[in-house]
Amino acid sequence: MAAIGIMTCGGDCPGLNAAIRGAVFRASELDTSVLGIKDGFEGLAEDRTVPLTKANTRDILSRGGSILGCSGENPFRDDPAAADAVVATFHKHKLDGLIVIGGNSSMATALRAEERGISVVGIPKTIDNDVEGTDITIGFDTAVATAAEAIDRLRTTAESHDRVMIIETMGRDFGWIAVAAGIAGGANIILTPEEPIDVPAVVRTVKSRQEQGLDFTIIVIGEGARFKGEDRQYGSHLPGERYMHLSGVGAALADRLEEQEPLRWKLTVSVIGHLQRGGSPSAADRILASRFGVRAVDAVLNGAHGNIVAVRNGQITLTPLTEVAGKLKAVEPGLLSDAHTFAATT
Ligand code: F6P
């Protein structure tokens, strides 16, 4: 009987459990056992595992988060003893392969594991949709729906009170969520990390709307956006962490607008934050995640390790980990320019 390990790495997102369930169901059809690994590579190093069966995954399709817990720890970067323990635990359980459900940095870790002789197949997930080598990641569709609903709700206040409403979405390195939710929510200005924020241009747009009798403006800004001529991203570090948790560029934009037009506009900032990562996956994410789970098992059993399962041109396919690790996928220029067209005419 073949055996496969499965883990969820990095930040949680909607659809992780659907992917786990898809993998377990496919494996059981192929007489293969699945070992759930708690808390990503950290849990593999510490041999924290749970056998997964159809019985204990049957009801998790619609549940957010991960029943296995998530961790972004990378033992291959910081801790040689833990890296050796990862390899030893993999062999101890006589696993034929390891399915790593993760975002771009987890795929870099997965490649290190593959280089150490662990047969890895990746499943791309992140609400940010910035994993290279796939058109879409698990979690993005749900996050966009949540952000678009937030924009809809905030719009009623913006319209009723003539507000300039700044809505900060997630999206650490690129603006996929801001762009997609901005289009879906009818934003008037969309600002993303792909393009520097031009404050005078924002002022001109708000004023031009006011001249047309449109006294409210909806500005959607991705958390990772930077001001023109500046390198800084806004956020904070938890004690002892080198990783910066992003938040605050929306408030910084409000301050700069206020500097340019003192007391002229009623500005409101809403950071929708982790709401975008939580809750039940959309139907599209459930379908994508379930299919990725199935195809990842097939890839392991067919010896197609060293790849991620991916969607390209509407087809599920495989992309080599070497083409994914250490890279990020920016918003396509065509989508970005369509988003600005819609915003300018909304
Ligand atoms: O990568 C997904 C993501 O949601 C980013 O959009 C965001 O910057 C980050 O995770 C937030 O995670 P944390 O709370 O750990 O900073």
Side-chain angles (χ1 to χ4, degrees), residues 143-144 147-152 154-155 164-171 175-195 197 202 206 217-225 249-250 253 257 268-270 272 276 336 339-340 343:
V144 170
E149 189 191 342
I151 298 169
D152 284 349
L154 291 162
R155 168 187 294 280
V164 175
M165 186 75 84
I166 299 171
I167 302 163
E168 183 180 308
T169 65
M170 278 190 166
W176 287 96
I177 300 173
V179 164
I183 294 173
N188 310 114
I189 299 174
I190 299 174
L191 304 169
T192 74
E194 281 82 353
E195 300 166 317
I197 307 166
V202 172
V206 175
T217 298
I218 306 278
I219 303 175
V220 172
I221 182 166
E223 63 179 5
V249 70
L253 175 63
L257 293 176
T268 305
V269 181
S270 298
I272 50 178
Q276 295 157 99
L336 203 52
H340 292 320

Side-chain angles (χ1 to χ4, degrees), residues 6-7 25 50 84 97 103 111 115 134 160 185 190 195 255 259 269 280 288 312 314 317 324 334:
I6 189 165
M7 60 168 67
F25 276 46
V50 52
D84 291 344
L111 180 60
E115 288 162 359
T134 183
S160 304
I190 299 174
E195 300 166 317
D255 288 347
E259 275 164 24
V269 181
S280 182
L288 178 70
R312 280 176 150 173
T317 180
V324 175

Side-chain angles (χ1 to χ4, degrees), residues 171-215:
R172 191 171 183 80
D173 296 292
F174 291 113
W176 287 96
I177 300 173
V179 164
I183 294 173
N188 310 114
I189 299 174
I190 299 174
L191 304 169
T192 74
E194 281 82 353
E195 300 166 317
I197 307 166
D198 181 346
V199 177
V202 172
V203 170
R204 281 197 299 278
T205 303
V206 175
K207 281 186 169 170
S208 132
R209 288 176 56 75
Q210 289 171 341
E211 281 157 20
Q212 297 166 56
L214 298 163
D215 289 324

Side-chain angles (χ1 to χ4, degrees), residues 113-137:
E114 174 80 17
E115 288 162 359
R116 290 286 305 267
I118 294 177
S119 298
V120 176
V121 173
I123 296 183
K125 68 86 218 175
T126 165
I127 63 165
D128 292 0
N129 197 37
D130 58 0
V131 176
E132 184 60 59
T134 183
D135 295 345
I136 189 151
T137 54

